[in-house]
Amino acid sequence: MSVLMVTTAIAVVYGLISGRYERALAVGAVTPAGAAFVAGGEALPTFYATAAGGAALLAGQWLVRRGRPGSPPLGRIPGVGLLLIMLAWAVVVVLVAPFIAPGARTVTDPAWLLVPGRWEISNVAQLLYLALSIVVVIVVARSTTTTTSLLAIPLAAGVLLSLWRYLSIHAGVPFPEGVFANSPAFRYIEQAPGGVPRFRGIHSEPSALASTSMIAVAYFTSFAVRVRGLARVGSLAMVAGAIFLGIVSTSTTFLVAGAVVGGCALAALVVRLVTLRLRVSVITVCTALAVVAAAIFVTPGLLDAFTSEVDAKLGSDSYDDRSDADALAFEAYLETWGWGMGLGSVRASSLVFTLLGAVGTIGTLLFVGALATTVLSAARISSCAPVIWALTASLVVKVVSSPDLSDTSGVLWLGLGILARAVVAQREGVPMPVMGSWRSRGAPQDALAPAREPVA
């Protein structure tokens, strides 16, 4: 019996007894490379083991025909309807794809040939993971104790555990090696070609650490703007720790995703300044001018470093392998006439190509529609900004270098559930706590009002 098996079981029991199962899901997402159960070469990630408990919870509520007070019907949760249709479509694709392209070679490692009437274990597993992911969204959206600070649990814990491991490697601080990353389903990479050491934290590889670090930077930066006192200090400390981990990961993903997310943040600021006509204080103007002046001197060096890193990546074997995987996934999309080969039969380097190759045009549009419906519905709720920025960073890193729809970090599905809960709470006129027990600006009901930028 592993440590993660025990902690996952405790989290599930706590969630069921306390009635705050969304917190159990957040705890399960702390160890994205950890397994709660291992049987042979197969492993069940801690996040999806906890999600299975959530499925049991929903099934029990349905059987006794009573949910928690205030639990909305599925039809009122934004995005869930499209996700359920996507799940049904994914099942149809797995069944029909072998008849559309019999003998086609899958984009997996190892690969196999599509045979009519035959499913592979990876097809079943990915369909189950998608179903459990939707369960996560439903559980979080129906919980009346969900707060926008829920993502702080897996992100902060992940940053702290990775920093702990870094101190273990470089300063000899004792660390329980192999406890938080014990899944045989992952290949743990800590060296670049040529034997150059790299740092992966508690993740399976440096790029995964870089991805989580970028998401943490986006989330806690927005979080820090909305809290005061020790909460703000803690948020800024998480930002600093995440930036440090992103740098020591030596992954180009952190640089590229950071540039894209930074560009989005700058564009959002400009739009708000122009369209909302915000009043800005003299101190804010002086600070902005100081930042611009510093950027004039720093930017050339940063651009040179960024360009050299990207050029090195473009010439690496890793980039060639990832590009080949994306190309093969797109070929699978074309070979099946836009139908797709099925979840579990395609794994590219980018989520975009994985979706196109696996669930085709219809499945991809359903996924995008579910995201857009949820995010746009929550965009005018000011307290949702940290979660929206975390989702933005998550989607950017998935487009760049993270192909999995089954997100063991939990950020994608927890984030969608939080935003859906905020929308449901706004419609029902029931205040959703902004930051849990942390003090935030404004009264609780202000979190449900349309976004109003505070005067700087």
Side-chain angles (χ1 to χ4, degrees):
M1 182 177 294
S2 68
V3 173
L4 289 187
M5 179 185 295
V6 175
T7 55
T8 302
I10 292 174
V12 170
V13 172
Y14 163 78
L16 294 174
I17 293 177
S18 67
R20 297 178 173 182
Y21 204 83
E22 77 284 352
R23 296 190 180 183
L25 292 168
V27 172
V30 168
T31 53
F37 303 98
V38 178
E42 302 298 325
L44 180 62
T46 54
F47 178 66
Y48 284 105
T50 314
L57 173 65
L58 292 180
Q61 291 177 350
W62 179 79
L63 288 174
V64 299
R65 294 186 178 277
R66 72 165 183 229
R68 296 181 56 195
S71 296
L74 296 184
R76 298 190 63 184
I77 302 176
V80 167
L82 291 174
L83 289 174
L84 291 173
I85 296 173
M86 178 187 176
L87 175 61
W89 173 256
V91 174
V92 172
V93 171
V94 170
L95 290 172
V96 177
F99 294 94
I100 295 179
R105 192 175 186 85
T106 62
V107 188
T108 54
D109 184 21
W112 66 85
L113 302 181
L114 295 183
V115 177
R118 189 179 76 184
W119 285 22
E120 296 293 334
I121 186 64
S122 64
N123 298 128
V124 178
Q126 292 303 314
L127 289 173
L128 288 176
Y129 284 149
L130 177 58
L132 290 175
S133 300
I134 298 173
V135 165
V136 170
V137 177
I138 296 172
V139 170
V140 175
R142 296 184 67 185
S143 175
T144 56
T145 56
T146 294
T147 70
T148 52
S149 63
L150 185 65
L151 277 182
I153 296 175
L155 292 176
V159 169
L160 292 174
L161 288 174
S162 290
L163 288 173
W164 183 11
R165 186 167 184 268
Y166 183 86
L167 291 175
S168 173
I169 294 174
H170 296 277
V173 177
F175 179 81
E177 194 67 45
V179 170
F180 304 111
N182 65 337
S183 176
F186 294 103
R187 289 186 298 176
Y188 296 97
I189 301 173
E190 291 197 277
Q191 286 186 339
V196 179
R198 300 180 68 191
F199 183 65
R200 62 173 175 83
I202 62 167
H203 299 266
S204 60
E205 58 180 318
S207 64
L209 173 61
S211 299
T212 299
S213 300
M214 189 65 253
I215 296 169
V217 169
Y219 177 78
F220 284 110
T221 299
S222 180
F223 199 99
V225 174
R226 288 161 175 79
V227 293
R228 294 177 177 174
L230 292 178
R232 175 174 291 180
V233 174
S235 298
L236 294 177
M238 289 299 103
V239 172
I243 292 175
F244 174 78
L245 291 173
I247 293 173
V248 299
S249 72
T250 65
S251 175
T252 310
T253 298
F254 187 75
L255 292 176
V256 175
V260 175
V261 174
C264 292
L266 180 60
L269 177 61
V270 171
V271 169
R272 289 176 180 176
L273 288 173
V274 173
T275 60
L276 300 181
R277 298 178 181 178
L278 300 180
R279 289 180 295 158
V280 181
S281 66
V282 175
I283 296 177
T284 302
V285 173
C286 293
T287 303
L289 290 175
V291 171
V292 171
I296 293 175
F297 292 98
V298 174
T299 298
L302 290 178
L303 287 176
D304 289 341
F306 178 82
T307 303
S308 62
E309 286 291 335
V310 173
D311 288 343
K313 183 66 177 180
L314 293 177
S316 67
D317 293 336
S318 173
Y319 178 80
D320 292 338
D321 293 339
R322 291 176 180 271
S323 298
D324 290 343
D326 288 340
L328 290 173
F330 192 68
E331 287 180 11
Y333 169 76
L334 297 176
E335 189 174 0
T336 57
W337 302 93
W339 180 273
M341 280 190 173
L343 284 177
S345 296
V346 175
R347 190 178 189 274
S349 174
S350 167
L351 179 62
V352 173
F353 291 100
T354 293
L355 286 173
L356 288 174
V359 292
T361 302
I362 295 177
T364 303
L365 289 177
L366 287 170
F367 179 71
V368 172
L371 285 176
T373 299
T374 307
V375 173
L376 292 178
S377 299
R380 291 182 58 82
I381 303 175
S382 59
S383 62
C384 290
V387 181
I388 291 176
W389 279 113
L391 279 179
T392 300
S394 177
L395 292 173
V396 169
V397 298
K398 284 184 175 298
V399 170
V400 173
S401 65
S402 181
D404 296 316
L405 186 62
S406 53
D407 180 18
T408 57
S409 74
V411 172
L412 174 61
W413 304 108
L414 287 172
L416 288 176
I418 295 169
L419 295 183
R421 177 58 202 167
V423 174
V424 171
Q426 184 186 51
R427 291 172 179 172
E428 296 179 348
V430 180
M432 185 182 80
V434 182
M435 302 298 176
S437 60
W438 291 1
R439 296 179 61 187
S440 59
R441 296 181 179 177
Q445 60 268 25
D446 290 342
L448 304 177
R452 297 187 301 272
E453 287 298 320
V455 176

